[in-house]
């Protein structure tokens, strides 16, 4: 055997461990999100992390940052015929949800309102708010064409932000745009290419390359040197026909009626090619260039493009890490979860009896932490106090011999110390729960 000490391994760059107490903030946020999603009748969907690479190339678009630069794509091991599948870690989940809905013929009878949580993977330069494995909560409403559903998902996102304690205007703002139909985009495209050609000397490498393949994408640039040129570019909004304008105005009328504020950003195009009509982003000024906490829009062509029966759809993806960073930045913090009680055990002899009693309490809904191993009463009480529990349950040998436990309040409003029978734990559990 080698004498050399093995070096500990480290997590992959840009991929983070989420450990306590931080993980409690994640659970808190996820619970808040689920509560809102359920009130709108959205149902949970879980799809694989790995999908055929072609799904994302076809879905997201070949000339996008994600597919060109950011995707973790690889070749699987060859099967017995020497065939290897091209696979990718999902960089987003809409394409996977659409694939699943088509594969299982789920849009046969009616539309579906779905939500998901999960990790996504993009090979970006890691920095605050930008990781290689990050997490999204997303919603997809499939099979609905009207502006009411666009408005519904926006209302849902807006409610979530407000219920988390974030303030519109101070902490976030909503930007809205309409990308029209493919025909309208074609008309705009010609004008846009002319504009880009007239400013070709300004364009960066990405801009030059995309000018003819995906000119709209050039407007998505974050390059400061290109902002004036992009702002002066022909606006897609000016190329919209009646139907697109009616849809856009339909969404706006609902948001206006509901008092949801937004600004129209004619340059908002989103980083994926599948969008049409409504697109939107929630942006914060608090996270630098990682300011988009949530983005989404309508993607009426995607289901057909991925081989399904044509059906309209709309959705959004919200970045969990960025939401948590924003909440931290503005001082919104969930109360740390604390157990109802902490079990102090002076002697190991009584452990079987103690653990049976704790099971009865847990069965009655009480959260109770057992002090691990043997240590002095003083140190056990210190741990009990630090746990934040309202009560210590003290399983002294004398009490145990009589089938009793001492219930000792640790905080102000806990009342007097009392002795309770172990056999009827379920009956007095309520006083621990109500502390
Ligand atoms: P950005 O412009 O910041 O790169 P994006 O347009 O690529 O964002 P989307 O594809 O719309 O992002 O993903 C939806 C949300 O997921 C974003 O609004 C953001 O909150 C989050 N997100 C995207 N990429 C990352 C990442 N690499 N790390 C952390 N969160 C991310
Ligand atoms: Mg991106």
């Amino acid at each position: 055997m080698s004498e050399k000490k093995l070096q500990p391994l480290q997590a992959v760059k840009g991929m983070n461990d989420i450990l306590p107490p931080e993980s409690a903030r994640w659970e808190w946020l996820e619970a808040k999100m689920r509560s809102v999603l359920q009130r709108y009748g959205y149902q949970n969907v879980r799809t694989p992390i790995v999908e055929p690479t072609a799904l994302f190339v076809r879905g997201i678009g070949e000339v996008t940052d994600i597919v060109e630069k950011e995707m973790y794509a690889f070749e699987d091991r060859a099967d017995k015929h020497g065939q290897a599948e091209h696979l990718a870690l999902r960089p987003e989940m809409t394409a996977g949800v659409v694939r699943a809905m088509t594969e299982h013929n789920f849009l046969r009878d009616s539309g579906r309102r779905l939500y998901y949580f999960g990790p996504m993977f993009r090979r970006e330069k890691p920095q605050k708010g930008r990781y290689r494995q990050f997490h999204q909560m997303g919603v997809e409403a499939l099979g609905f064409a009207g502006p009411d559903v666009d408005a519904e998902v926006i209302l849902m996102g807006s409610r979530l932000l407000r219920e988390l304690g974030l303030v519109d205007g101070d902490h976030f703002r909503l930007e809205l745009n309409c990308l029209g139909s493919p025909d309208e985009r074609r008309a705009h495209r010609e004008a846009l290419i002319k504009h880009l050609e007239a400013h070709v000397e300004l364009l960066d490498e990405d801009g030059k390359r995309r000018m003819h393949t995906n000119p709209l994408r050039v407007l998505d640039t974050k390059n400061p040197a290109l902002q004036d040129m992009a702002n002066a570019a022909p606006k897609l909004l000016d190329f919209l026909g009646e139907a697109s304008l009616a849809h856009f105005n339909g969404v706006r009328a609902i948001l206006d009626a509901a008092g949801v504020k937004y600004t129209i950003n004619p340059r908002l195009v989103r980083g994926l090619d599948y969008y049409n009509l409504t697109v939107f982003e929630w942006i914060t000024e608090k996270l630098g260039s990682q300011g988009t906490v949530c983005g989404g829009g309508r993607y009426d062509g995607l289901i057909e493009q991925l081989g399904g029966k044509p059906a309209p759809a709309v959705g959004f993806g919200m970045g969990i890490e960025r939401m948590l960073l924003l909440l931290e930045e503005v001082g919104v913090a969930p109360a740390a979860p604390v157990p109802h009680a902490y079990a102090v055990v002076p002697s190991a002899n009584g452990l079987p009896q103690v653990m049976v009693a704790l099971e009865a309490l847990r069965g009655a809904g009480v959260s109770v932490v057992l002090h691990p191993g043997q240590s002095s009463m003083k140190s056990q009480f210190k741990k009990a106090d630090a746990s934040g529990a309202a009560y210590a349950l003290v399983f002294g040998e004398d009490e145990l011999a009589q089938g009793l436990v001492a219930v000792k309040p640790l905080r102000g409003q806990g009342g007097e110390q009392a002795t309770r029978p172990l056999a009827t734990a379920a009956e007095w559990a309520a006083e621990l729960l109500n502390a």
Side-chain angles (χ1 to χ4, degrees), residues 14 25 77 82 104 124 146 155 157 166 248 254 279 323 327 336 379 384:
R25 296 182 69 234
R77 284 170 201 259
H104 302 286
E124 302 194 69
L155 291 176
L166 296 169
F248 194 38
I254 298 169
V279 288
M323 283 298 298
L327 290 162
S379 103

Side-chain angles (χ1 to χ4, degrees), residues 16-19 21-33 117 128-129 131 134-136 160-161 164 166 284 286-287 290 292-294 318-334:
N16 300 313
D17 299 309
I18 298 144
L19 309 172
E22 177 62 10
S23 53
R25 296 182 69 234
W26 283 65
E27 290 194 310
W28 167 80
L29 177 60
E30 288 162 4
K32 290 272 190 188
M33 289 174 161
F117 284 86
K128 187 177 171 190
Y131 311 102
F134 65 98
H135 298 75
Q136 280 183 359
L160 175 64
L161 294 170
L164 287 166
L166 296 169
T284 179
K286 313 258 174 204
L287 300 178
Q290 278 63 253
T292 308
V293 291
C294 180
M318 185 176 267
I320 302 279
E321 285 88 347
R322 290 189 194 175
M323 283 298 298
L324 286 167
L325 284 168
L326 172 59
L327 290 162
E328 188 181 304
E329 197 70 35
V330 305
V332 175

